[in-house]
Amino acid sequence: MAVDELQAIIQRCQILEEADFKGEDFNLFQVAGQKCLEDGYVAQLLEVIQNEKNKVIIKNMGWNLISPLVRCIFMYKQDDDKREHCLRILDQLAQLCNPKELFLGLLEQIEQTSGEQVCQTVMLLLQPLQTVLLKLQNKKAYSVGLSLAMIMNQLTPLPVPYTKQQIQEDKLGLCQCCKAVVDFAKPFVNEVVKNREKSTEYNDMELKEELIQFCMKSLKYPLLTAQLEQLEGIEEHPFRHFASEIIDILLNIGELIPLMFAHPKGKSPHWEDQEFADIERKNSADSLACLSYLVFVQHFGVECFPVVFSPSYLLLCNMTHIEVLLKRTEESVLSKGLDLFESCLLRMEDNSLLHHYLEFRDFINVPQDLVKIMTLCPMEHMRKKSLNVLQLFIDKFDTEGKYTLFRCLLKTSNHAGVEGYIIKNIKDQIHLALTKEYDNIWFTGHHLISLLDLVLSLPEGAETDLLQNSDRIMASLNLLRYLVIKDCESDNQTGVWTTPGRIEQNFLKPLRVGLNMSKAHYEAEIKNKKENRKEAQSSNTVCSVTVSGEKMPPMTTGMQLQVLHSALFTFDLIESILARVEELIEVKTKAVMDES
């Protein structure tokens, strides 16, 4: 019987000195204790462990029971007395066993768990692990750091609940586990806080560093991808609570503000392997970006944030973090980047951001990232949000800044829709320059002429794909029409009347030729489709057509004709505006000649 075998081992070891225990004794104790657990003699095992006479034996050998004990706890139901006895055994082992041996046993158990049992195992062992760590004297900081790192490494592969339903269900227990892990860390945070005045002590500095690393990992996972907006029907949002606790830890140990203004590259340890160094740097950048989002968007810890910084300086500090977030593709991370950017911009007055800021690399990269989201992101609400944020960014710059940004985006966006949007912005700035009393040298005169050379041109001359570039061409024609109507040749504030020959040569003439070629091509294609319609239907031939350089998916001839007619309609629209612009130029030129 299992209990008899255990009693026999106990009686044999009771007469031995602690130093005389052999490897065989450890093995026999483990086998007998495991058999008691598996055969259901949990109450009897608890009595053996609680017996004062067995204190030395349990101190040395008890940690061997951790693995079978955990298995039994999960085997029994919540209301089973045997499960309660198992939990009491676990508590006794935490009190009686050699801290070093039990620490390693508990960590090994956490490391070996996987799948759906990860959170259950971690939550089960956190309390005994905390008890053991508080007893440790040597390498305490290292052991705390190792424990937190092991726990976070085990949690990281788990999916983060995102929707309201997923958060409420919390199938894998991650939400509960996050709360438990923070509670586990609190005694060690308090220890650092208590000794902050004497923080030059090596062990305290070490413990503080381990807690910083834990917070950084928590910011990367789960907070970076977690839904952190207030949700109706959830009284205490688990991830908002977790975020608040992480910020409180950083505040209490005096590291929130230093981290807020830390450069990501400066926080990485030295690695011999460059690949590890790059991973560490990326993880640090993600964590710091999430930290900025929590403070500036969700306002965690903002009451302790200094109010001496100007909005433009805060934007400068956050641009690196914004760029990190906007380069990600996950909706949860991308939305944090857009929200952080928007939050920083809303703090600023329009026209207050000096053009000098465009000398910083991030101020050029971030709008280009916005353009990528606007044109490539599959989520419509993200595309719209990025467009709104880009406009907000444009509005904050002074006139020279706007001018420089427009030139940059026209050269780098490579998207007709975006270029058309920028040209519309240029038209708005020219209108302001012409209607306000003070001089605006950037959207009039020779600076504007240089910008118009970019705007009033076709990328590939007469051979430009007019359909693909229709948004840009329409915006350019509308701008030119506005300039011709608004700016008299005698005033010539915009300089448009200085270079009519260049505009004709680089834009109007190739556009006219391109329109004629394109219309002829599409009209011939329509005629060809109509002639072959009956033949294609009778032979079941799969029809295809190429529009804007892209082969369309298989369509009926009727659908193809509809697409071709739509293209012709676009060309007619461009042609009508072109004709109006040419008419206006001719009328204005003739009027000046008549006056002369």
Side-chain angles (χ1 to χ4, degrees):
M1 189 174 166
V3 177
D4 294 335
E5 290 176 18
L6 180 63
Q7 288 292 358
I9 300 300
I10 292 293
Q11 288 171 9
R12 173 182 164 182
C13 292
Q14 278 178 344
I15 60 174
L16 296 175
E17 293 294 327
E18 189 174 347
D20 295 332
F21 292 155
K22 297 177 182 177
E24 182 187 356
D25 299 324
F26 285 84
N27 291 336
L28 290 171
F29 177 83
Q30 181 181 3
V31 170
Q34 182 173 333
K35 202 169 180 186
C36 285
L37 287 167
E38 290 171 352
D39 292 350
Y41 299 109
V42 185
Q44 290 86 334
L45 179 59
L46 177 60
E47 287 179 17
V48 169
I49 291 172
Q50 288 176 327
N51 191 330
E52 189 70 22
K53 295 178 182 178
N54 302 330
K55 194 173 182 180
V56 175
I57 300 170
I58 301 305
K59 176 189 171 185
N60 288 275
M61 303 183 189
W63 66 274
N64 281 309
L65 297 176
I66 289 295
S67 181
L69 184 61
V70 170
R71 283 200 303 271
C72 283
I73 290 173
F74 289 138
M75 185 175 68
Y76 296 122
K77 293 181 179 178
Q78 286 285 345
D79 56 352
D80 196 320
D81 289 342
K82 290 179 180 177
R83 189 178 194 278
E84 183 59 35
H85 289 143
C86 286
L87 291 172
R88 289 175 62 187
I89 291 173
L90 183 60
D91 181 59
Q92 285 292 307
L93 293 178
Q95 301 297 332
L96 300 172
C97 288
N98 181 310
K100 182 181 176 182
E101 301 292 347
L102 186 58
F103 167 70
L104 294 174
L106 291 168
L107 269 198
E108 183 181 14
Q109 196 60 38
I110 291 173
E111 185 181 22
Q112 289 175 352
T113 188
S114 61
E116 295 183 1
Q117 283 200 331
V118 168
C119 289
Q120 292 178 338
T121 304
V122 168
M123 286 190 286
L124 175 67
L125 300 181
L126 278 177
Q127 186 58 55
L129 185 59
Q130 185 189 71
T131 302
V132 169
L133 286 169
L134 290 170
K135 287 182 179 181
L136 286 177
Q137 299 301 321
N138 298 325
K139 294 189 175 180
K140 181 177 182 179
Y142 170 78
S143 301
V144 170
L146 186 62
S147 302
L148 289 169
M150 179 71 72
I151 290 165
M152 295 309 294
N153 286 344
Q154 289 296 89
L155 294 179
T156 300
L158 301 178
V160 179
Y162 189 70
T163 65
K164 178 181 174 181
Q165 184 180 349
Q166 288 171 345
I167 291 171
Q168 287 176 325
E169 288 178 357
D170 193 22
K171 282 185 178 178
L172 297 179
L174 182 64
C175 299
Q176 296 177 61
C177 198
C178 287
K179 185 178 185 304
V181 171
V182 168
D183 291 339
F184 166 82
K186 281 181 179 177
F188 311 109
V189 176
N190 293 337
E191 192 173 319
V192 171
V193 172
K194 195 184 297 182
N195 296 321
R196 270 187 73 179
E197 292 180 7
K198 303 177 289 180
S199 61
T200 50
E201 291 182 23
Y202 178 72
N203 197 53
D204 289 333
M205 288 296 288
E206 254 197 334
L207 184 55
K208 181 179 180 180
E209 193 59 39
E210 296 294 352
L211 290 171
I212 293 171
Q213 290 303 316
F214 162 65
C215 290
M216 292 289 279
K217 285 181 179 176
S218 299
L219 290 165
K220 165 85 176 174
Y221 175 93
L223 293 177
L224 184 64
T225 54
Q227 158 67 272
L228 292 169
E229 299 295 335
Q230 290 280 13
L231 295 174
E232 189 179 344
I234 298 182
E235 190 171 335
E236 185 179 56
H237 192 309
F239 292 122
R240 286 185 64 85
H241 173 80
F242 185 63
S244 175
E245 294 284 3
I246 293 298
I247 296 295
D248 283 347
I249 290 174
L250 291 172
L251 268 172
N252 290 332
I253 64 176
E255 286 297 320
L256 179 63
I257 304 303
L259 278 175
M260 290 292 299
F261 295 97
H263 196 284
K265 293 180 181 177
K267 296 301 293 179
S268 300
H270 295 292
W271 292 90
E272 291 182 8
D273 189 317
Q274 185 57 40
E275 187 178 348
F276 282 128
D278 292 341
I279 292 171
E280 183 66 25
R281 194 156 38 238
K282 183 183 182 304
N283 288 340
S284 176
D286 287 342
S287 299
L288 293 175
C290 184
L291 180 62
S292 275
Y293 169 80
L294 293 178
V295 173
F296 290 109
V297 179
Q298 296 299 335
H299 304 127
F300 291 115
V302 75
E303 67 280 356
C304 302
F305 197 81
V307 291
V308 296
F309 301 112
S310 69
S312 56
Y313 179 71
L314 290 179
L315 176 63
L316 174 63
C317 292
N318 276 308
M319 283 301 267
T320 301
H321 306 315
I322 292 165
E323 185 180 5
V324 166
L325 296 171
L326 294 186
K327 288 199 183 302
R328 297 285 289 269
T329 55
E330 307 96 313
E331 179 185 0
S332 55
V333 183
L334 206 52
S335 64
K336 287 181 176 64
L338 291 172
D339 288 345
L340 178 58
F341 198 11
E342 183 181 48
S343 174
C344 291
L345 292 172
L346 288 174
R347 288 181 165 86
M348 305 181 69
E349 296 289 331
D350 285 355
N351 308 307
S352 65
L353 190 59
L354 300 177
H355 61 275
H356 304 299
Y357 281 91
L358 286 168
E359 295 173 10
F360 293 101
R361 178 182 58 83
D362 298 329
F363 278 77
I364 295 296
N365 290 349
V366 167
Q368 290 176 351
D369 289 334
L370 285 176
V371 167
K372 288 177 184 174
I373 299 167
M374 287 159 52
T375 56
L376 300 175
C377 182
M379 294 166 280
E380 185 183 0
H381 66 286
M382 286 294 181
R383 296 197 299 272
K384 288 181 177 178
K385 178 72 177 280
S386 62
L387 178 62
N388 293 337
V389 173
L390 177 62
Q391 186 60 59
L392 202 57
F393 185 56
I394 291 169
D395 293 342
K396 300 307 170 186
F397 274 103
D398 59 16
T399 51
E400 186 177 349
K402 288 184 176 75
Y403 178 89
T404 307
L405 187 59
F406 292 156
R407 287 188 71 92
C408 172
L409 290 173
L410 281 173
K411 288 180 178 180
T412 61
S413 66
N414 296 317
H415 188 279
V418 175
E419 291 165 1
Y421 186 78
I422 297 303
I423 292 167
K424 180 183 177 299
N425 265 274
I426 291 171
K427 176 175 169 286
D428 292 341
Q429 291 304 312
I430 294 170
H431 179 72
L432 287 174
L434 294 177
T435 53
K436 289 194 174 180
E437 293 180 4
Y438 61 85
D439 290 337
N440 182 338
I441 62 169
W442 293 99
F443 291 95
T444 55
H446 70 278
H447 286 301
L448 180 59
I449 292 172
S450 173
L451 189 58
L452 289 177
D453 285 341
L454 277 177
V455 173
L456 302 177
S457 64
L458 293 178
E460 297 169 33
E463 296 179 358
T464 300
D465 188 330
L466 301 186
L467 204 57
Q468 189 170 333
N469 288 276
S470 59
D471 287 339
R472 177 196 168 113
I473 292 167
M474 296 280 279
S476 298
L477 284 171
N478 281 324
L479 171 58
L480 183 55
R481 179 173 59 179
Y482 170 82
L483 293 173
V484 172
I485 293 172
K486 194 74 178 175
D487 191 17
C488 298
E489 191 170 351
S490 55
D491 295 336
N492 196 24
Q493 288 177 269
T494 62
V496 70
W497 296 106
T498 309
T499 57
R502 197 157 69 202
I503 294 171
E504 169 67 24
Q505 191 65 32
N506 295 340
F507 184 54
L508 298 179
K509 183 179 177 181
L511 179 57
R512 208 177 302 114
V513 173
L515 275 170
N516 292 334
M517 289 165 51
S518 297
K519 287 182 73 175
H521 171 73
Y522 276 81
E523 284 168 353
E525 190 72 25
I526 288 171
K527 184 179 179 183
N528 184 47
K529 290 294 173 190
K530 286 180 177 177
E531 288 175 354
N532 296 320
R533 194 171 196 172
K534 292 181 181 179
E535 183 185 337
Q537 287 174 346
S538 61
S539 62
N540 293 322
T541 305
V542 176
C543 300
S544 65
V545 66
T546 301
V547 177
S548 300
E550 293 183 9
K551 193 172 183 180
M552 302 291 287
M555 306 192 274
T556 65
T557 306
M559 291 167 66
Q560 292 177 57
L561 285 168
Q562 191 175 351
V563 171
L564 293 168
H565 279 297
S566 176
L568 274 181
F569 176 77
T570 302
F571 298 145
D572 288 340
L573 199 58
I574 294 173
E575 192 172 38
S576 67
I577 301 174
L578 174 60
R580 177 61 177 151
V581 168
E582 290 177 328
E583 181 188 343
L584 287 167
I585 292 173
E586 186 181 345
V587 167
K588 288 247 179 171
T589 306
K590 188 179 179 183
V592 171
M593 289 176 67
D594 290 345
E595 286 178 15
S596 300

